[in-house]
């Protein structure tokens, strides 16, 4: 479907929905979060509205990936030679590793040590992927690291199983994990561009509920154990900044509908 107007509209909906969710969720944490119960106060509407905005952005992300023609991609690979593109993800993985090392020192749980190892390998991978030393074996590290972080949060008993901040962080890690598997397919010469775009957009949309809310709750001392959720949120934040930078390189810019109309009238 080669219609710039539809693509521009879906992109606008995705971006607006994600940004609205990213702004409403920390507001809900700051003013409507009960830190003793680890839930939002009863009958509060702000966080549910943020969730709805994120879902709208997620649906728009899937539709946008469907309507973008294959010829709109200007790069044969998401990887390149701009090391600065990889720095946010590398810093996110590195910060997550530091926080998990602290948790390992406290609890001596082997899961933290294994997750830390894969986070460090993931940081090395994202940096090397922007050089000529990209390593296929290291490409398996980021999806495994994301899966391990989901496990870390799952077994974190300081938060209830259905605590909102825990759930939205896990929901952000899952599409990010799938995104890295789609990225890995490029290293294996089995790429699916439309799948890559869908997972990149979906990861961006899903991240909106935790990238600001969880750090705010952590730094404000609202969580009993801040390290696990904060580590996951920093990973999601850094990785999605890298994703957006790579998408800017990967895609051709889509003109706004009014620009297209002006060109048609001039002809």
């Amino acid at each position: 479907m080669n219609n710039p107007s539809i693509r521009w509209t879906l992109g606008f909906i995705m971006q607006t929905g994600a940004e609205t969710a990213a702004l409403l969720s920390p507001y809900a944490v700051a003013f409507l979060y009960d830190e003793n119960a680890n839930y939002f106060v009863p009958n509060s509407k702000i966080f549910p509205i943020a969730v709805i905005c994120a879902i709208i952005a997620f649906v728009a992300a899937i539709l946008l990936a469907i309507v973008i023609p294959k010829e709109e991609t200007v790069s044969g690979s998401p990887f390149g030679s701009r090391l600065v593109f990889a720095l946010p993800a590398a810093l996110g993985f590195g910060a997550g590793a530091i926080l998990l090392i602290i948790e390992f020192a406290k609890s001596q749980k082997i899961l933290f040590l294994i997750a830390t190892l894969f986070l460090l390998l993931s940081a090395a991978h994202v940096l090397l992927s922007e050089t000529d030393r990209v390593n296929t074996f290291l490409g398996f590290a980021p999806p495994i690291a994301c899966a391990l972080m989901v496990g870390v949060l799952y077994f974190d008993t300081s938060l209830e199983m259905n605590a909102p901040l825990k759930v939205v962080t896990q929901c952000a890690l899952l599409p990010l994990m799938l995104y890295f598997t789609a990225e890995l397919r490029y290293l294996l010469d089995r790429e699916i561009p439309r799948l890559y775009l869908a997972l990149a957009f979906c990861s961006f949309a899903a991240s909106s509920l935790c990238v600001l809310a969880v750090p705010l709750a952590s730094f404000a001392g609202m969580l009993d154990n801040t390290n696990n959720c904060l580590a996951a949120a920093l990973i999601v934040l850094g990785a999605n900044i890298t994703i957006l930078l790579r998408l800017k390189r990967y895609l051709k810019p889509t003109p706004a509908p009014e620009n297209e109309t002006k060109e048609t009238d001039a002809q």
Side-chain angles (χ1 to χ4, degrees):
M1 184 183 297
N2 192 6
N3 191 324
S5 298
I6 294 177
R7 300 201 302 275
W8 189 89
T9 302
L10 288 173
F12 177 79
I13 293 172
M14 178 186 71
Q15 181 176 348
T16 303
E19 290 176 351
T20 303
L23 292 175
L24 288 178
S25 52
Y27 176 88
V29 167
F31 298 104
L32 301 169
Y33 190 73
D34 184 350
E35 57 186 279
N36 295 318
N38 290 319
Y39 291 92
F40 293 97
V41 297
N43 301 320
S44 61
K45 305 298 183 184
I46 299 298
F47 192 74
I49 292 173
V51 172
I52 292 172
C53 291
I55 292 173
I56 292 173
F58 194 89
V59 173
I62 296 174
L63 296 176
L64 180 60
I66 292 174
V67 302
I68 291 179
K70 186 176 180 180
E71 58 270 17
E72 288 292 314
T73 59
V74 296
S75 172
S77 168
F79 309 117
S81 58
R82 298 286 299 277
L83 193 61
V84 68
F85 283 12
L87 283 179
L91 290 173
F93 283 123
I98 292 172
L99 292 170
L100 288 193
I101 281 291
I102 295 173
E103 282 301 301
F104 174 72
K106 292 179 181 178
S107 64
Q108 299 296 310
K109 291 182 179 179
I110 192 64
L111 177 60
F112 293 120
L113 190 60
I114 296 173
T116 299
L117 173 62
F118 277 96
L119 288 176
L120 293 175
L121 291 175
S122 299
H125 164 70
V126 294
L127 289 172
L128 291 175
S129 64
E130 291 293 336
T131 68
D132 56 358
R133 296 182 180 181
V134 60
N135 187 290
T136 302
F137 175 75
L138 284 178
F140 287 89
I144 294 175
C146 291
L148 289 171
M149 287 305 303
V150 173
V152 166
L153 293 178
Y154 181 84
F155 292 109
D156 183 357
T157 56
S158 68
L159 284 173
E160 290 77 9
M161 193 66 68
N162 61 344
L165 294 182
K166 183 177 187 176
V167 171
V168 297
T169 306
Q170 288 176 311
C171 289
L173 284 166
L174 291 174
L176 181 61
M177 175 186 69
L178 295 176
Y179 163 81
F180 280 119
T181 62
E183 195 177 76
L184 175 61
R185 295 183 69 93
Y186 281 88
L187 299 178
L188 300 173
D189 294 325
R190 296 179 179 275
E191 65 272 11
I192 305 177
R194 201 174 299 280
L195 176 65
Y196 171 82
L197 289 175
L199 292 172
F201 293 148
C202 288
S203 180
F204 166 71
S207 71
S208 59
L209 290 170
C210 77
V211 291
L212 296 180
V214 171
L216 174 62
S218 299
F219 292 130
M222 295 179 176
L223 304 177
D224 293 334
N225 183 352
T226 63
N227 290 336
N228 294 337
C229 272
L230 181 59
L234 293 178
I235 291 166
V236 171
L237 175 61
N240 276 281
I241 293 174
T242 291
I243 289 172
L244 292 177
L245 291 172
R246 285 180 170 171
L247 282 174
K248 185 178 180 181
R249 175 175 60 197
Y250 190 78
L251 290 172
K252 292 179 182 178
T254 301
E258 55 267 28
N259 293 340
E260 181 191 24
T261 304
K262 291 179 181 178
E263 291 175 2
T264 303
D265 293 341
Q267 292 175 357

